[in-house]
Amino acid sequence: MGAEAEYVIKLVPEFERLNPGIKVKVQQIPWTAAQEKLVTAFASDNTPDACQLGNTWVPQFAALNAIVSLNELVSNSDLINKESYFEGIWETNVIDGKVFGIPWYMDTRVIYYRKDVFEKVGYNEPPKNWNQLFDLAKKIKSLHADEEKYAIYLPTNEWAPFVMFGMEAGSSLLKDENTLGNFSSKEFTSAFKYLVEFHKQKLAPIGISQVTNVYQAFAEEYFSMYISGPWNIPEFKKWMKGDLADKWMTAPMPGYLNDYPGVSLAGGSSLVIFKNSKYKKEVWKFFEFLSQVQTQIEFYKLLNNLPSVKEAWENPIFKNDPYMQAFYKQFTNVRATPKIPEWEQIAFSKVQQYAELAVRNAMSVEDALENLDKDVNRILEKRRWLVEQKKDN
């Protein structure tokens, strides 16, 4: 998908040199069209041998029976095994005890922050828990009492922070075998209230902010914290230069109480094999090649995609990069979102919708989460029926 297709082509000649007789043909698909194209290809028995899938897509294609379990291939491999990966990243590909994907590259979210602003309010290191984060935000806001400036950027059209804080508070998000919403639970409610309070106390710009350039806003101290992923490091480096070059850093997510780092999302892309492939053994060789430490590092150099293999992180390119340390720590506590095909619809349309209503006081937190559960239950209606059918059989 996307830019990965352009750059993985550069790795193919070395694989073909090492494996005479195997040819790899790479087809590029835009991320925006990929899901529909792959489903259409499956319906018409025209799938490729292998594919890159966003790891939240793996459950959908496993449910369709379009991709195969890789358990046997993994058990016979000297290169690919669970122990080589961060547990939370590996788990995104495991459904009902079967491995359906191999992590190719990974991402998660951490806090980008202004070191100089933290120091002005007496924080010489990033917050370790929710209380410290809220206290820090209030102190930063007090620096800008007469200005329209904020402590943290939490736009409601980004669902991830609401879900991450919910998981950190102990919420399962869904319940009853992922057939019902569980957003009204006390765990998710406490996290949701906590984040809404940042907006109500004007510590964050309200709702879907009008910020058109987050990097410029960060450089101008419009806000001093932003939760985002590794893809933004190159952009922040471009904007935070000159006198600002040493005034920013990254930090893992704060814990609910004193568990640090707190929970973040297990993101990234996985490699899967389609059921109809006639060349599964050859595909697996390519997966092993892409999973070698040196190949992972080369791919990072080409595209800045973080390697999924833990050993690659021993390379100086990561060990000597101060912005990467937070990501390495964060990967020790990342968690998969619910492994069901409907999850993306729930997150992108419903969680965002009710977060916006709550921060604008159009609904109370309790009403917003109750309505969120109702909408989610409608989305999961077919899933409930399927689970019941399985029980009856």
Side-chain angles (χ1 to χ4, degrees), residues 235-255:
E235 287 299 324
F236 277 111
K237 282 181 178 177
K238 282 181 200 172
W239 283 86
M240 301 294 288
K241 54 189 179 183
D243 292 344
L244 296 176
D246 63 347
K247 290 182 168 55
W248 68 288
M249 191 44 68
T250 54
M253 296 301 298

Side-chain angles (χ1 to χ4, degrees), residues 106-122:
M106 59 184 186
D107 65 56
T108 190
R109 286 165 171 81
V110 301
I111 296 179
Y112 287 74
Y113 70 96
R114 288 288 299 260
K115 279 199 302 182
D116 55 336
V117 177
F118 277 30
E119 287 164 8
K120 279 182 197 173
V121 297

Side-chain angles (χ1 to χ4, degrees), residues 28-48:
Q28 183 174 13
I29 308 176
W31 274 107
T32 50
Q35 215 161 1
E36 187 180 341
K37 279 181 177 287
L38 289 169
V39 170
T40 302
F42 168 69
S44 57
D45 285 331
N46 191 31
T47 52

Side-chain angles (χ1 to χ4, degrees), residues 213-240:
N213 186 321
V214 293
Y215 317 109
Q216 183 178 352
F218 188 69
E220 293 174 355
E221 285 183 50
Y222 181 71
F223 54 81
S224 299
M225 291 181 276
Y226 179 46
I227 298 167
S228 190
W231 55 85
N232 265 330
I233 286 180
E235 287 299 324
F236 277 111
K237 282 181 178 177
K238 282 181 200 172
W239 283 86
M240 301 294 288

Side-chain angles (χ1 to χ4, degrees), residues 15 49-52 70 73 79-80 85 100-104 270-274 280 282-292 296:
F15 171 76
D49 293 294
C51 186
Q52 165 198 358
L70 305 175
L73 290 164
L79 257 171
I80 295 174
Y85 301 84
F100 284 94
I102 302 302
W104 182 23
S270 301
L271 302 167
V272 301
I273 300 178
F274 277 95
K280 293 181 178 71
E282 290 82 357
V283 167
W284 187 251
K285 283 189 177 182
F286 189 48
F287 285 8
E288 290 188 318
F289 171 75
L290 293 177
S291 303
Q292 290 174 2
Q296 292 246 309

Side-chain angles (χ1 to χ4, degrees), residues 149-173:
K149 289 188 174 180
Y150 301 89
I152 189 168
Y153 187 43
L154 291 167
T156 52
N157 59 333
E158 294 183 11
W159 59 267
F162 293 90
V163 167
M164 288 157 50
F165 278 83
M167 290 194 292
E168 174 60 32
S171 171
S172 62
L173 307 177

